[in-house]
Amino acid sequence: MSKTQMNSHLFRVICILHSVIALTSGTLMMFYTEKASIFGHGSDIANKLKGSTPHDELLIQISQSFSGLLLFAIGLVLFMVSFVKDRDFHSFFAGGSVILYVLMALWRVMFEWKIEDLAFECPKQALGDIALAVSWVFFLVYSWREKYD
């Protein structure tokens, strides 16, 4: 297997891995909103985040369902992108993904940290975002090493 093919396969594996994560999370958020919230935050915090009135509960549930739909759509896009064979696009997409994950981690630290009920969860979720960014950084390092050897 040539280096170019290895680079393409590595890109496909990372995209599909991220796609499976996004599709699974999005599906859980859309159809099992309460259980996903309990799994992500714990039962005490999930009850606090549920809302105090039926109207609040409905708005929060709709918001979480739309967030799940967006995450599901991102998973589908990642799956489709995994079949692109252009090396320049691979580097561009990986760089953009690193920036996106780092911005998500910064957003969690800057804004979710201020919400008392979410402050404990924030570092774990930010580390998860950084871990996903690192997978793309490894791909970029591997592809740049391959390109300049």
Side-chain angles (χ1 to χ4, degrees):
M1 186 180 319
S2 72
K3 287 184 178 184
T4 305
Q5 288 177 334
M6 184 64 177
N7 193 15
S8 179
H9 289 298
L10 182 61
F11 180 79
R12 181 170 294 154
V13 166
I14 293 173
C15 277
I16 289 177
L17 175 67
H18 287 238
S19 173
V20 167
I21 292 169
L23 289 169
T24 304
S25 300
T27 302
L28 289 174
M29 286 175 69
M30 283 190 298
F31 298 114
Y32 303 101
T33 305
E34 187 175 334
K35 291 178 183 175
S37 184
I38 290 171
F39 178 74
H41 302 292
S43 60
D44 294 336
I45 295 173
N47 285 333
K48 289 180 184 178
L49 295 176
K50 195 188 301 187
S52 57
T53 66
H55 185 259
D56 290 346
E57 289 179 17
L58 183 61
L59 285 175
I60 291 169
Q61 186 176 8
I62 289 170
S63 173
Q64 287 180 344
S65 293
F66 277 132
S67 297
L69 181 62
L70 178 63
L71 204 51
F72 188 84
I74 289 169
L76 288 177
V77 169
L78 278 166
F79 181 74
M80 290 186 288
V81 163
S82 71
F83 294 100
V84 174
K85 294 186 189 264
D86 183 17
R87 283 182 65 185
D88 292 331
F89 177 77
H90 291 178
S91 295
F92 173 76
F93 188 81
S97 296
V98 168
I99 291 170
L100 181 66
Y101 283 122
V102 168
L103 288 175
M104 284 173 36
L106 285 173
W107 179 83
R108 289 184 197 279
V109 170
M110 299 292 289
F111 296 106
E112 283 188 14
W113 189 264
K114 295 177 184 177
I115 300 172
E116 184 178 317
D117 293 328
L118 296 177
F120 181 70
E121 307 288 324
C122 180
K124 293 188 290 188
Q125 292 178 344
L127 283 175
D129 293 334
I130 297 298
L132 291 171
V134 166
S135 67
W136 287 113
V137 169
F138 284 146
F139 171 78
L140 285 171
V141 168
Y142 179 78
S143 64
W144 288 338
R145 183 184 61 115
E146 180 181 289
K147 184 177 180 178
Y148 295 113
D149 275 348

